[in-house]
Amino acid sequence: MTIVEPIKNKDDIKKVENVLAKKNGRDLLLFVIGTNCGLRISDILSLDVGDVKGQSHIRIIEKKTGKFKKFPVNAKLKPMFEEYTKGKNPDEPLFKTVFQNRMQRFAAYYIVRSACKEAGLQEKVGTHTMRKTFGYHHYRKFKDVAILQKIFNHSSPEITLRYIGIEQDEIEKSYVNFIL
């Protein structure tokens, strides 16, 4: 099994978003949800239009853990949801194929991998890259591994840090530069 990496450079995230924006709104929304919510691809693909249309929060039962998860829709996603869900039935899948079926994991993998390649990224990428990218940048912004651990339902801070790609040298650097 190939281990995928987060996209650590914010400019690279923008490059991928620009590539996807030129293709279609569905693929861009898929990527933005992934990088802004930290959901697993199985949970993203299980969303229906009604789960996001006009909602202030996303509420799901995680497929992997069976746990209830509720979190607010951020300012970047809110207008994207409004635009993308216009005229759509609340019961239909949020992400559908050209054949009007619910998108499957492989299609999402192809979308993410192709867009990252077209944007010139060198990282090992897959659908889990979006979740790891969320975690990496969340940690960089808030420096709160405990919150991130809860968001991801990880059993320890060490697992969370390893998962998001915080390397040992970065940990050591933080110790050397932390003086009270």
Side-chain angles (χ1 to χ4, degrees):
M1 179 170 88
T2 303
I3 305 288
V4 300
E5 303 171 52
I7 303 170
K8 294 181 178 180
N9 184 314
K10 286 185 178 182
D11 290 336
D12 287 342
I13 295 169
K14 288 288 176 215
K15 287 178 190 174
V16 174
E17 288 177 355
N18 289 335
V19 165
L20 291 168
K22 290 175 188 170
K23 295 184 188 263
N24 65 59
R26 178 199 70 182
D27 296 353
L28 176 61
L29 182 61
L30 176 80
F31 185 76
V32 174
I33 289 174
T35 57
N36 280 261
C37 298
L39 294 174
R40 291 178 187 89
I41 194 63
S42 57
D43 294 323
I44 294 171
L45 295 177
S46 69
L47 291 171
D48 289 331
V49 170
D51 294 328
V52 300
K53 187 175 188 173
Q55 301 295 324
S56 62
H57 288 74
I58 294 177
R59 295 163 183 83
I60 62 165
I61 302 293
E62 292 181 319
K63 294 230 177 264
K64 182 176 180 179
T65 65
K67 293 180 180 177
F68 176 76
K69 183 179 201 104
K70 174 185 171 187
F71 56 93
V73 175
N74 72 21
K76 183 171 185 173
L77 282 169
K78 193 170 223 41
M80 292 179 79
F81 285 153
E82 286 174 17
E83 180 63 31
Y84 185 74
T85 61
K86 275 184 191 168
K88 294 187 178 177
N89 183 320
D91 296 329
E92 69 181 89
L94 188 61
F95 297 105
K96 295 195 302 190
T97 68
V98 293
F99 303 108
Q100 300 304 304
N101 300 319
R102 187 178 296 276
M103 184 185 290
Q104 299 296 310
R105 297 174 72 97
F106 184 77
Y109 169 80
Y110 180 79
I111 289 164
V112 171
R113 189 161 161 100
S114 298
C116 289
K117 184 177 180 182
E118 191 174 329
L121 274 63
Q122 300 299 311
E123 290 88 353
K124 295 175 191 160
V125 298
T127 55
H128 228 55
T129 293
M130 298 182 295
R131 180 171 159 92
K132 288 185 175 193
T133 298
F134 165 84
Y136 179 84
H137 290 283
H138 191 284
Y139 178 75
R140 286 286 180 225
K141 182 171 185 171
F142 298 111
K143 303 288 191 220
D144 191 338
V145 71
I147 290 290
L148 198 52
Q149 178 186 340
K150 286 182 181 187
I151 289 170
F152 284 156
N153 284 317
H154 286 163
S155 58
S156 74
E158 294 79 17
I159 289 172
T160 301
L161 291 172
R162 187 173 357 115
Y163 178 80
I164 62 174
I166 300 297
E167 309 297 337
Q168 183 61 34
D169 57 14
E170 291 173 294
I171 293 169
E172 289 174 12
K173 181 181 172 185
S174 73
Y175 274 101
V176 169
N177 292 320
F178 181 79
I179 301 170
L180 285 175

